[in-house]
Amino acid sequence: SQQGEEDPQALSIQEGENATMNCSYKTSINNLQWYRQNSGRGLVHLILIRSNEREKHSGRLRVTLDTSKKSSSLLITASRAADTASYFCATGPNYGGSQGNLIFGKGTKLSVKP
Amino acid sequence: DTGVSQDPRHKITKRGQNVTFRCDPISEHNRLYWYRQTLGQGPEFLTYFQNEAQLEKSRLLSDRFSAERPKGSFSTLEIQRTEQGDSAMYLCASSPRPETQYFGPGTRLLVL
């Protein structure tokens, strides 16, 4: 079953604008990850934020985590047409239970127009 | 290319046929995962191997599905008596430790 929901389901912006995607989840977590998937392809890991971290940066990516609200956001700054993809948040592994599978949301489909 | 590879990339089959997919993980990654992804959804976990041992199976993995990793290297996922509802992208991932997983390009299955 899906762990959480990304919001919005779809986002269309112009090149150069910032894109913000949100993710909510249901259970306690050890970490939260964001992945990108280009159309019809496999997933690429973008960034991981641990439960004791509040913010993390990687290049044009900024991720925040609010464990009290069980939510995370992914900000892509100065977007490019090549950023067009679906973005998924994933939680896990839950060391107390699962051996390590990730639980994904439904994703946000980002379209960046040149 | 030393990433995760999957074969075939596309498979079209008729309902009732058996299909088998192969995944070659990144070498020395002892953990291997199979996921299924349907249109408009995120990947859903199917099963997990650590070396050759299958340690976890999802309830999604019905008795028509079987996965193996005989020597702790490549893995196969077989679907017997395919149904139209099995049409999906089947993704394989590997990792050297928990947390970050490295995904292959996927096998897209269409059951007619």
Side-chain angles (χ1 to χ4, degrees), chain B residues 19-20 24-25 34-35 42 49 51 56 65 72 77 79 85 88 107:
Chain B
V19 294
T20 300
D24 286 89
W34 284 98
Y35 292 83
F49 290 85
N51 299 312
E56 193 170 355
F65 288 69
L77 177 68
I79 309 174
T107 294

Side-chain angles (χ1 to χ4, degrees), chain A residues 37 50 99-102, chain B residues 35 37 45 48 56 99 101:
Chain A
Q37 184 177 37
R50 300 189 185 283
Q99 290 289 325
N101 61 288
L102 297 173
Chain B
Y35 292 83
Q37 185 179 24
F45 169 74
Y48 156 66
E56 193 170 355
E99 298 179 347
Q101 296 180 13

Side-chain angles (χ1 to χ4, degrees), chain A residues 32 34 47-49 54-58 61-65 72-75:
Chain A
L32 185 142
W34 286 88
I47 195 166
L48 179 151
I49 186 166
R54 290 296 167 259
E55 187 170 313
K56 201 162 183 179
H57 297 255
S58 177
L61 306 180
R62 175 182 158 235
V63 169
T64 62
L65 179 64
S72 173
S73 68
L74 171 68
L75 168 68

Side-chain angles (χ1 to χ4, degrees), chain B residues 23-40:
Chain B
C23 170
D24 286 89
I26 295 171
S27 59
E28 299 178 358
H29 280 192
N30 61 349
R31 296 166 182 262
L32 187 147
Y33 308 82
W34 284 98
Y35 292 83
R36 182 177 73 183
Q37 185 179 24
T38 53
L39 205 59

